[in-house]
Amino acid sequence: MKKFFKGLDWYLFFPYLLLCGIGIVMVYSSSAGIGLTHGGFATAYLYKQIGFVAIAMILMFLMYRIKLKIFQNVYFIMVFSGILVVLLIGVFFVSKKINGAAGWINLGPINLQPAELCKFYFIIYFANFFNKRSSIIAQEGLWRATTYNLKPLFLPILILFLVLAQPDTGGFAINLFIIVIMFLAASTAPKLVVGIVSFCLVLPLMVMHLAGSWIIQFADNSSNYKIQRFVSFADPFLHAQSSGQQLINSYYAISNGGLFGRGLGNSIQKMGYLAEPNTDFILPIISEELGLVGVVLILALLFILIARTIKIGIRTTNIYYSTICYGTAAYLMIQTLFNAGGAVGFVPLTGVTLPFISYGGSSIITLSLCLGLVMKISHNEQRIRDQRVPRLRSLRN
């Protein structure tokens, strides 16, 4: 046991533990009223979240213990791809639509969201893709390595299309962002990578903000749920009694909290004002109860995870390891941006959860699987460095 914990990357594991712990507490605080309102128990969501976290931690440690070569096996990739395609097609037949999207498969006490598993799938799939073509990338560049044989891109494109068709625009955007970052990370031109990533992040936001009035004029009379989210993003107070109501209540929750909050359990907006206080809008509830201090703590812990993951990716010379790290960092970063940005009106609401904090099994399990891979990579790289030190000392002597 001591040897097992000795190899852990505590810069990853400790923030992960804290975030999961804070998530359990805040899910209970934000969902107690929902449980009672629906005729159940105040602790209904709490017990489920504890179960999700327990399963997620077991799977994370499993990722940490097993050999990464398993995920490089072509049969594993093909079976995983087949299962994912079947699940994504299955949601159109067995899933009940929630907020206009059919993205969940009911498995009794839990709902499986295949679009979340896609994020883990794309990370290991494209890590293998670039690893197999690493020599071509080094000699002829990323473009040539990607385009000389396009057949391996068929499955990812099909899966992305199925996610978009649900329709799950938030899941589609996150998965696409992960893929783009992994492609750019495999490039040998880092300045170009930084420029393109910045452009991809900033341009859509600028367009949405500058074209806000046009969006309202074009989509104001639409009954489409996704379009109404853009309308409320452009000017929520103009639609305070309809699509903008949730965002306005989010603003109220954030402003009520101040610096130190109203106290744990004392949120007003979670009592029927915010529709999803334990998932999409858990950050405003945290702000209301724990204040700006609580929000900054959570965002700082997420930043530590992202920064540490990027650092591990930079330090390794193995393209398979580095692309997994960059893909996981992109996953954490864009999901945090979508959730936090949506809560403050910086980006349109996408229904994306806050990593490790929001209620839900599919999200925390997928995030834990990815983090487990990064912890395994960190362990392997540390072992390589430890083996180099005695050799260097012997050479010096």
Side-chain angles (χ1 to χ4, degrees):
M1 185 63 71
K2 184 178 179 181
K3 185 179 179 181
F4 175 80
F5 281 103
K6 186 180 178 181
L8 281 175
D9 189 328
W10 289 95
Y11 292 103
L12 291 173
F13 187 60
F14 187 63
Y16 169 75
L17 278 181
L18 283 178
L19 286 167
C20 288
I22 294 170
I24 289 172
V25 172
M26 291 313 304
V27 164
Y28 175 51
S29 177
S30 60
S31 66
I34 302 174
L36 293 172
T37 302
H38 293 169
F41 299 98
T43 56
Y45 287 96
L46 170 66
Y47 293 145
K48 283 186 178 182
Q49 186 68 8
I50 291 173
F52 293 148
V53 170
I55 294 169
M57 285 189 176
I58 291 169
L59 291 175
M60 187 200 69
F61 279 116
L62 180 64
M63 293 295 103
Y64 176 67
R65 296 300 296 174
I66 64 177
K67 294 182 179 179
L68 293 180
K69 287 183 179 179
I70 293 174
F71 301 109
Q72 295 176 284
N73 186 287
V74 65
Y75 297 106
F76 173 84
I77 295 293
M78 294 307 296
V79 170
F80 193 3
S81 302
I83 292 172
L84 207 52
V85 169
V86 169
L87 289 174
L88 288 168
I89 294 175
V91 297
F92 295 103
F93 300 98
V94 301
S95 175
K96 181 181 178 181
K97 284 196 173 185
I98 302 174
N99 293 333
W104 292 264
I105 297 175
N106 187 279
L107 300 175
I110 63 171
N111 290 316
L112 176 67
Q113 191 175 6
E116 287 292 329
L117 295 177
C118 292
K119 298 163 188 175
F120 176 69
Y121 167 80
F122 284 132
I123 288 172
I124 61 172
Y125 186 92
F126 281 102
N128 279 298
F129 178 85
F130 295 122
N131 187 47
K132 290 178 180 178
R133 304 184 180 206
S134 57
S135 59
I136 303 175
I137 293 172
Q139 294 173 10
E140 301 182 44
L142 181 63
W143 178 256
R144 173 58 182 163
T146 304
T147 56
Y148 89 93
N149 182 9
L150 296 174
K151 290 180 181 178
L153 297 179
F154 171 75
L155 274 174
I157 291 172
L158 172 63
I159 290 170
L160 271 177
F161 172 77
L162 289 172
V163 171
L164 183 61
Q166 291 179 7
D168 183 359
T169 51
F172 172 79
I174 291 173
N175 281 302
L176 183 61
F177 184 79
I178 290 170
I179 294 169
V180 169
I181 292 299
M182 292 182 74
F183 264 90
L184 296 175
S187 171
T188 54
K191 290 183 179 179
L192 179 64
V193 170
V194 172
I196 294 176
V197 171
S198 301
F199 180 78
C200 292
L201 283 173
V202 173
L203 182 64
L205 296 175
M206 288 180 62
V207 170
M208 286 186 289
H209 281 281
L210 293 173
S213 58
W214 181 85
I215 292 172
I216 293 173
Q217 185 179 358
F218 175 77
D220 200 22
N221 297 322
S222 174
S223 60
N224 185 279
Y225 183 77
K226 302 294 182 184
I227 293 177
Q228 285 301 313
R229 281 184 167 182
F230 279 93
V231 171
S232 63
F233 156 76
D235 192 345
F237 290 97
L238 191 62
H239 302 81
Q241 300 302 318
S242 55
S243 59
Q245 189 175 31
Q246 291 300 299
L247 188 55
I248 292 170
N249 285 326
S250 176
Y251 291 160
Y252 289 155
I254 294 169
S255 64
N256 287 342
L259 187 60
F260 298 105
R262 299 171 58 89
L264 188 63
N266 293 329
S267 168
I268 296 173
Q269 296 302 313
K270 70 182 180 183
M271 305 306 292
Y273 295 98
L274 281 169
E276 304 289 347
N278 59 335
T279 54
D280 303 5
F281 289 100
I282 198 167
L283 194 62
I285 302 303
I286 293 170
S287 179
E288 189 175 11
E289 295 188 351
L290 305 180
L292 179 63
V293 172
V295 173
V296 169
L297 173 63
I298 288 169
L299 294 180
L301 290 170
L302 287 168
F303 175 78
I304 291 170
L305 283 179
I306 295 168
R308 181 64 178 177
T309 302
I310 292 173
K311 184 177 181 181
I312 294 167
I314 292 172
R315 291 170 68 174
T316 181
T317 57
N318 186 318
I319 191 171
Y320 180 70
Y321 287 177
S322 63
T323 46
I324 286 177
C325 290
Y326 294 137
T328 302
Y331 178 12
L332 284 166
M333 182 178 69
I334 195 65
Q335 187 135 332
T336 301
L337 176 63
F338 273 13
N339 181 274
V344 299
F346 184 65
V347 297
L349 296 171
T350 54
V352 169
T353 57
L354 185 63
F356 307 113
I357 302 294
S358 294
Y359 170 79
S362 298
S363 175
I364 195 169
I365 286 172
T366 306
L367 285 160
S368 297
L369 287 171
C370 295
L371 199 62
L373 290 179
V374 177
M375 290 178 66
K376 179 65 174 181
I377 292 168
S378 177
H379 173 73
N380 289 349
E381 289 295 303
Q382 184 60 50
R383 188 174 56 185
I384 292 170
R385 287 193 294 272
D386 291 343
Q387 291 172 352
R388 286 174 182 170
V389 172
R391 293 177 184 174
L392 290 171
R393 288 176 179 173
S394 62
L395 289 172
R396 289 174 182 174
N397 294 332

